[in-house]
């Protein structure tokens, strides 16, 4: 009865009428391709509303909204993130919507904003090795891009740019007051990044992320406004349609009680707010040539894979500090502290800590940070501030056996005569997990070998036999053992094996 009375009050106050009018306004604003009222009500952003939320939270809304015209999967648990299936190479519309209220961000009125759309890995494990994964994909698919913009179909996008070293990103300018649609094409499929390809592998999920910036006083689009993303899986042509049908048939076989645990499938996918991608502000700003394609911001010309302590998927460094470059030092200035927060994906709190130096931030206790940032981010920030390099459980030294044609001369000081010999340069491999998979992964990283190209790792035993490197064998390696290794092609011609000697 109380609920009925409240609804009567809402109706009498005219709020329902205002809501209906606002939806009609959206339809008029977007024109022929706009949502009908039933389409808007079907969007997942309107589900799971909680009337118990504080009134002040209702006023907090993003300045923009991005809607991808692709249906979400029905086989997703009620409180999990939506999952959308896409077909490889098919064009999908992303509608760029101005969601500002009157008076919000007036400085962009009458001006253009810049958006960067990218396809990235959803799994943190793959985010750590993004550079190697994308380089391996590029090696197998020369001349192709992971993400393209279908320019003839797109509406309202201006000054479109792609970077040869950023195969997974496109950028463009657009006017928030006009109807804007960007049609994207994803060319990589989810199973291309699974360890082995024998058929039937479960594909890895990706993310479609949109980061939007406004123009600064010096004319560069580096002032971050909004970021949002959604989870996707990409299949070979028509594969997404079959997968959607399979999920729908599975859900139809479930009981009514089981169906209540899953969210319905929506015709469109609303991208949800997220932190900006770490290297977005300067991805396309740097015009100076770089020695090699990189997947980092212009402030860093090299890429190194982070250690296990890193809290950022795009942790960057010089590859020699073993994680020490991640530490926030007490001598850090306010600007350096802000850069550290951004680099470690704490951009939400840069304004909150805008006057904090490194010493100020390090003085905060765990309880202080939990109270300021909440339990999840507070503990994560505390761990990032106090993190230390983990001492490896085992160290081995590995060298790739050089070819005779490129062996270097060295002097024999014993008798004054010179002789041709190989100079062996070893890489230190630090193991924490003591597993064969860790040896394979770190060999790939140390010698810049595409991980998915390595089929097996063997150790050469007595009489030249090849012994498969197992977890038990790794656990019995002597500390600071030295190995030479060579590579041989696999019998089926796909990939190769590594032989440790």
């Amino acid at each position: 009865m109380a609920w009925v009375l409240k609804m009567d009050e809402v109706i009498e106050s005219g709020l329902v009428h205002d809501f209906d009018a606002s939806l009609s306004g959206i339809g008029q604003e977007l024109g022929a391709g706009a949502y009908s009222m039933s389409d808007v009500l079907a969007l997942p952003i309107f589900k799971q509303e909680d009337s118990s939320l504080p009134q002040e939270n209702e006023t907090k809304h993003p300045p923009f909204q991005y809607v991808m015209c692709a249906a979400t999967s029905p086989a997703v648990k009620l409180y999990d993130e939506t999952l959308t299936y896409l077909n490889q190479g098919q064009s999908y519309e992303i509608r760029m919507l101005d969601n500002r209220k009157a008076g919000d961000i007036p400085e962009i009125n009458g001006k253009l904003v810049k958006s960067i759309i990218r396809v990235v890995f959803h799994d943190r494990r793959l985010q750590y090795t993004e550079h190697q994964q994308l380089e391996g994909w590029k090696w197998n698919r020369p001349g192709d891009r992971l993400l393209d913009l279908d320019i003839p179909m797109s509406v309202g996008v201006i000054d479109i740019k792609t970077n040869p070293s950023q195969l997974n990103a496109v950028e463009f300018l657009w006017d928030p007051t006009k109807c804007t649609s960007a049609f994207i094409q994803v060319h990589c499929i989810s199973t291309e990044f699974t360890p082995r390809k024998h058929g039937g592998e479960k594909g890895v999920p990706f993310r479609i992320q949109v980061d939007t910036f406004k123009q600064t006083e010096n004319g560069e689009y580096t002032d971050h406004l909004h970021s949002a993303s959604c989870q996707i899986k990409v299949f070979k042509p028509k594969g997404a349609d079959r997968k959607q049908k399979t999920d729908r048939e599975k859900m139809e076989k479930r009981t009514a009680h089981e169906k209540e645990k899953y969210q319905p499938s929506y015709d469109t996918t609303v991208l949800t707010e997220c932190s900006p991608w770490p290297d977005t502000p300067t991805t396309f700003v740097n015009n100076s040539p770089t020695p090699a394609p990189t997947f980092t911001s212009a402030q860093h010309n090299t890429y190194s894979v982070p250690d296990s302590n890193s809290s950022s998927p795009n942790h960057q460094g010089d590859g020699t500090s073993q994680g020490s470059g991640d530490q926030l030092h007490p001598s850090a200035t306010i600007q350096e502290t802000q850069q550290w927060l951004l680099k470690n994906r704490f951009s939400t709190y840069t304004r909150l800590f805008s006057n904090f130096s490194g010493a100020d931030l390090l003085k905060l206790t765990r309880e202080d940070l939990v109270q300021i940032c909440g339990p999840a981010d507070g503990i994560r920030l505390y761990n990032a501030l106090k993190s230390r390099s983990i001492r490896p459980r085992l160290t081995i030294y590995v060298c790739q056996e050089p070819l005779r044609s490129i062996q270097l001369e060295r002097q024999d000081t014993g008798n004054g005569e010179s002789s041709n010999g190989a100079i062996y340069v070893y890489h230190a491999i630090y193991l924490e997990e003591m597993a064969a998979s860790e040896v394979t992964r770190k060999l790939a990283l140390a010698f810049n070998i595409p991980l998915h190209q390595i089929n097996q790792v063997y150790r050469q035993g007595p009489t030249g036999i090849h012994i498969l490197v197992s977890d038990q064998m790794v656990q019995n390696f002597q500390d600071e053992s030295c190995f030479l290794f060579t590579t041989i092609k696999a019998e089926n011609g796909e990939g190769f094996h590594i032989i440790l000697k």
Side-chain angles (χ1 to χ4, degrees):
M1 188 63 181
W3 184 84
V4 175
L5 289 175
K6 287 183 179 179
M7 285 303 298
D8 290 339
E9 292 173 5
V10 171
I11 293 171
E12 290 175 2
S13 65
L15 290 177
V16 171
H17 174 74
D18 293 341
F19 179 69
D20 190 14
S22 65
L23 292 179
S24 301
I26 292 175
Q28 295 172 2
E29 179 77 14
L30 296 181
Y35 298 115
S36 66
M37 182 169 180
S38 60
D39 288 331
V40 175
L41 291 175
L43 297 177
I45 197 169
F46 286 95
K47 69 185 178 66
Q48 299 172 9
E49 295 178 347
D50 189 352
S51 59
S52 64
L53 291 175
Q55 184 71 23
E56 61 196 25
N57 285 351
E58 296 176 6
T59 62
K60 296 179 181 179
H61 64 284
F64 305 106
Q65 190 175 71
Y66 319 114
V67 181
M68 184 165 63
C69 296
T72 61
S73 168
V76 176
K77 291 289 183 68
L78 193 59
Y79 297 105
D80 289 347
E81 184 182 8
T82 60
L83 175 61
T84 303
Y85 303 132
L86 303 183
N87 288 314
Q88 178 188 27
Q90 183 172 328
S91 295
Y92 290 93
E93 179 185 10
I94 297 181
R95 296 178 179 176
M96 318 287 288
L97 306 176
D98 187 355
N99 197 38
R100 295 176 297 155
K101 289 185 177 180
D104 285 356
I105 321 179
E107 61 270 22
I108 67 171
N109 290 339
K111 295 183 178 180
L112 301 175
V113 296
K114 180 180 83 171
S115 287
I116 299 175
I117 301 180
R118 65 182 65 223
V119 55
V120 295
F121 292 113
H122 173 78
D123 293 341
R124 181 60 59 93
R125 175 181 59 84
L126 291 172
Q127 289 174 359
Y128 285 145
T129 58
E130 179 187 81
H131 178 66
Q132 284 72 23
Q133 297 289 342
L134 299 187
E135 281 295 307
W137 189 89
K138 179 182 177 181
W139 187 78
N140 286 321
R141 304 269 295 273
D144 288 350
R145 292 183 55 82
L146 282 87
L147 181 70
D148 269 326
L149 198 65
D150 191 340
I151 299 175
M153 293 190 67
S154 299
V155 177
V157 296
I158 306 167
D159 195 19
I160 302 163
K161 293 181 181 177
T162 57
N163 192 321
S165 65
Q166 293 278 343
L167 302 179
N168 61 332
V170 294
E171 75 162 43
F172 54 86
L173 304 180
W174 59 287
D175 186 345
T177 63
K178 295 182 179 178
C179 178
T180 303
S181 290
F183 281 79
I184 63 166
Q185 298 170 332
V186 182
H187 298 294
C188 57
I189 59 176
S190 293
T191 53
E192 286 184 285
F193 299 94
T194 48
R196 291 185 178 87
K197 300 177 184 177
H198 300 305
E201 296 87 1
K202 186 177 181 181
V204 302
F206 301 120
R207 301 197 70 80
I208 293 292
Q209 175 151 339
V210 182
D211 299 281
T212 299
F213 305 87
K214 66 180 179 180
Q215 199 171 21
T216 59
E217 294 179 355
N218 59 7
E220 295 181 347
Y221 290 90
T222 55
D223 197 348
H224 178 259
L225 286 173
H226 181 244
S227 294
S229 64
C230 67
Q231 185 181 193
I232 64 166
K233 279 191 175 182
V234 186
F235 297 82
K236 290 183 178 180
K238 301 297 183 181
D241 307 320
R242 290 192 294 269
K243 177 62 175 170
Q244 187 80 356
K245 181 182 178 182
T246 302
D247 283 1
R248 190 166 55 248
E249 290 173 349
K250 286 182 180 178
M251 292 306 300
E252 289 173 354
K253 295 177 182 178
R254 295 183 182 272
T255 64
H257 178 69
E258 289 176 329
K259 288 180 181 179
E260 291 177 358
K261 299 177 183 179
Y262 292 83
Q263 53 183 284
S265 174
Y266 298 96
D267 293 336
T268 55
T269 303
V270 175
L271 278 66
T272 55
E273 279 194 284
C274 64
S275 299
W277 197 252
D279 58 346
T280 43
T282 51
T283 301
F284 298 91
V285 173
N286 185 23
N287 294 321
S288 61
T290 54
T294 60
F295 291 82
T296 62
S297 72
Q299 298 172 353
H300 303 270
N301 289 328
T302 59
Y303 184 98
S304 69
V305 177
D307 60 19
S308 58
N309 290 327
S310 174
S311 61
S312 169
N314 272 13
H315 168 69
Q316 300 151 347
D318 59 7
T320 61
S321 62
Q322 290 299 325
S324 61
D326 264 353
Q327 290 292 318
L328 179 67
H329 298 284
S331 59
T333 64
I334 292 176
Q335 184 178 3
E336 289 169 343
T337 303
Q338 291 285 298
Q339 291 174 352
W340 183 90
L341 289 168
L342 287 170
K343 181 180 177 182
N344 287 275
R345 306 200 79 178
F346 294 105
S347 57
T348 309
Y349 304 103
T350 52
R351 183 172 296 179
L352 184 62
F353 296 118
S354 58
N355 295 319
F356 279 63
S357 65
D360 296 331
L361 201 56
L362 287 165
K363 286 177 183 177
L364 296 177
T365 65
R366 185 175 184 272
E367 291 71 23
D368 293 335
L369 293 171
V370 168
Q371 188 174 0
I372 294 169
C373 307
D377 284 343
I379 294 172
R380 190 167 70 89
L381 179 53
Y382 177 80
N383 290 338
L385 288 169
K386 306 297 181 183
S387 63
R388 297 177 183 175
S389 297
I390 298 175
R391 185 177 180 84
R393 297 172 61 187
L394 178 70
T395 302
I396 60 174
Y397 304 110
V398 183
C399 172
Q400 187 168 11
E401 195 168 30
L403 299 174
R404 293 187 179 277
S405 59
I406 61 171
Q407 289 179 351
L408 304 177
E409 280 192 359
R410 77 182 161 192
Q411 298 293 328
D412 184 352
T413 57
N415 53 17
E417 297 178 359
S418 63
S419 61
N420 289 334
I423 294 179
Y424 295 102
V425 179
Y426 285 80
H427 289 249
I429 305 293
Y430 301 101
L431 304 177
E432 290 90 18
E433 301 172 14
M434 302 284 282
S437 59
E438 185 184 17
V439 173
T440 305
R441 185 173 70 252
K442 293 195 173 181
L443 277 172
L445 298 179
F447 295 94
N448 199 24
I449 302 171
L451 182 61
H452 68 275
Q453 291 284 315
I454 302 175
N455 291 343
Q456 296 289 355
V457 178
Y458 300 99
R459 184 176 181 181
Q460 186 168 304
T463 68
I465 63 173
H466 295 160
I467 308 166
L468 182 66
V469 174
S470 63
D471 293 349
Q472 188 174 7
M473 180 186 289
V474 174
Q475 291 161 11
N476 283 279
F477 279 167
Q478 289 188 357
D479 195 24
E480 297 194 337
S481 297
C482 297
F483 297 98
L484 285 174
F485 80 85
T486 57
T487 59
I488 59 172
K489 279 195 173 183
E491 297 78 7
N492 57 6
E494 295 184 5
F496 50 85
H497 305 307
I498 288 181
I499 314 296
L500 298 175
K501 298 181 180 179

